[in-house]
Amino acid sequence: MKVLICDYPESMMPDHSLEVETLRMGLGDDLKVVVHPYDDSERGEFLELLSDADALLTAFVPMDEEAFAHAPNLKVVAINATGYDNVDLEAATRHGVGVCPVGEYCTWDVSESAIAYMFALNKHLRFYTRQIEDEHVWDFAAAPEYPRMQDQTLGIVGFGKIGKCTARKASGLVKRVIAYDPYVADEEFERLGVERVTDRDELFASADIIVSHMCLTDSNRFFFNAEAFSKMRRSPILINLGRGLAVDEGALVKALDDGTIRAFGADVLYDETPDLANHPLVGRDNVIITPHSAFYSTASMRDVQVIPCQNIVHFINGERDQLFKLVNDVPVGMGA
């Protein structure tokens, strides 16, 4: 049996011993584990390695019809990320391949980062740091005057586990928490004392701070676009901790330039290999960007390695009830 661990080099774990140990504990010492850094320009090499693999562990490698067609032995793709938009689910299901995202490993960490972004951007921490370190200027009034957090409305887009956790943390920090998510029951909003907004334009118009925790789907690609920005009457802080393609970066740059958006924070950009030297969002005093690190902690780093490998083990062993998450309907086990 063969498991292929493959991803873009900057997205791979620095050490794979915990992943290999977890896989071998569940599948036996005879298991062959192959680790391969992925390169779009050398996709043929990846397809060759995938051709006899029983399982693939990845976060961002594109898995399309071509990839599944080249992998007759493949039974499961385990995603060591919460999103799985890199996988063609219909193709996976046609080929009888299960898709198992990690599901849960960093809810607390990402919501913690949301709060950190809110305070850092509202209190101009990047601006003041650059003023002091680069310009040697000591002037509190050099930055624009923003309201206190307690006088602002927080709008959360995407009210899943992370969105709910951010709402709980923000309660008491802001005047009001509103949220938009058409796929969550009313009771979930009521339970947390969060006001449900059924029209996203209402959230755009009402929020002083907007945090996106959305996974990426075909329906929310460029959710934050020029039209959306035009509805944001309160010149909000926008924070994207979901997926980069939820934000139209060209429209965002214009909105920052004309003041429609007063500040922007992001843990994600269009892709995982951005050209930072030439990126129009880099170098701005009212923009904070982190390298997809909102999840990063001791606990999350262990979970993001162990849980996907356990998903592979449970899928191969036919233990459907032990899977942390399976997002398509396929038979589970060696006969899959």
Side-chain angles (χ1 to χ4, degrees):
M1 183 176 298
K2 173 181 169 181
V3 175
L4 175 61
I5 300 175
C6 183
D7 224 319
Y8 294 95
E10 61 277 3
S11 300
M12 297 185 81
M13 296 298 163
D15 178 80
H16 298 280
S17 56
L18 181 57
E19 293 166 318
V20 173
E21 177 188 353
T22 304
L23 288 165
R24 288 199 167 134
M25 281 180 59
L27 298 174
D29 292 335
D30 293 336
L31 176 70
K32 180 180 180 181
V33 180
V34 176
V35 178
H36 177 69
Y38 180 80
D39 188 320
D40 285 319
S41 66
E42 299 176 358
R43 186 163 171 83
E45 187 176 353
F46 161 70
L47 294 176
E48 183 177 345
L49 289 170
L50 189 66
S51 65
D52 62 346
D54 296 276
L56 170 67
L57 173 61
T58 189
F60 301 110
V61 170
M63 286 296 294
D64 53 14
E65 172 63 35
E66 178 192 37
F68 288 111
H70 274 79
N73 295 337
L74 193 64
K75 300 167 183 64
V76 58
V77 176
I79 310 291
N80 53 353
T82 53
Y84 47 93
D85 47 281
N86 58 306
V87 178
D88 183 334
L89 276 186
E90 292 184 1
T93 304
R94 280 197 304 274
H95 288 270
V97 178
V99 179
C100 297
V102 67
E104 165 58 56
Y105 72 100
C106 62
T107 292
W108 184 273
D109 306 276
V110 177
S111 63
E112 189 176 78
S113 293
I115 302 300
Y117 264 111
M118 289 165 58
F119 276 109
L121 291 166
N122 199 65
K123 301 301 289 184
H124 308 290
L125 297 192
R126 175 172 170 79
F127 173 81
Y128 286 133
T129 299
R130 286 168 61 111
Q131 286 273 293
I132 289 169
E133 294 184 352
D134 297 342
E135 306 296 330
H136 305 246
V137 172
W138 187 271
D139 181 6
F140 75 88
E145 198 175 277
Y146 287 173
R148 291 174 174 169
M149 293 273 289
Q150 73 179 75
D151 296 327
Q152 299 187 55
T153 294
L154 168 63
I156 299 173
V157 181
F159 204 56
K161 291 190 295 291
I162 299 176
K164 294 184 183 75
C165 195
T166 295
R168 286 193 294 269
K169 285 185 173 71
S171 177
L173 298 177
V174 296
K175 177 179 68 176
R176 176 183 173 215
V177 180
I178 61 178
Y180 172 81
D181 193 322
Y183 304 104
V184 175
D186 289 340
E187 298 77 47
E188 294 297 300
F189 293 84
E190 294 167 4
R191 182 172 60 85
L192 293 173
V194 173
E195 181 182 336
R196 178 170 207 160
V197 176
T198 56
D199 183 347
R200 65 183 184 178
D201 287 353
E202 181 183 347
L203 183 141
F204 294 156
S206 302
D208 300 285
I209 303 167
I210 299 173
V211 176
S212 173
H213 288 305
M214 295 187 298
C215 291
L216 186 68
T217 65
D218 289 339
S219 63
N220 63 22
R221 188 177 296 260
F222 294 158
F223 184 92
F224 298 98
N225 56 20
E227 181 183 2
F229 296 141
S230 71
K231 306 289 178 59
M232 296 181 183
R233 301 172 189 163
R234 303 183 66 81
S235 298
I237 293 171
L238 176 63
I239 299 167
N240 184 19
L241 299 179
R243 283 290 180 264
L245 284 169
V247 178
D248 181 334
E249 289 180 1
L252 171 65
V253 168
K254 185 176 184 301
L256 284 165
D257 288 344
D258 65 22
T260 302
I261 301 295
R262 60 185 160 112
F264 177 65
D267 192 46
V268 286
L269 296 173
Y270 276 177
D271 57 54
E272 288 297 307
T273 55
D275 180 7
L276 297 176
N278 300 295
H279 202 287
L281 292 172
V282 172
R284 294 171 178 257
D285 286 335
N286 61 343
V287 173
I288 296 176
I289 299 170
T290 48
H292 210 157
S293 59
F295 74 96
Y296 193 45
S297 70
T298 302
S300 69
M301 285 299 290
R302 176 175 175 80
D303 289 348
V304 77
Q305 294 176 82
V306 170
I307 293 173
C309 291
Q310 289 176 335
N311 274 336
I312 289 174
V313 170
H314 294 315
F315 193 97
I316 295 294
N317 290 337
E319 299 161 343
R320 179 182 284 270
D321 60 330
Q322 297 297 310
L323 289 170
F324 204 95
K325 192 171 186 180
L326 175 65
V327 295
N328 59 335
D329 186 18
V330 295
V332 172
M334 286 293 291

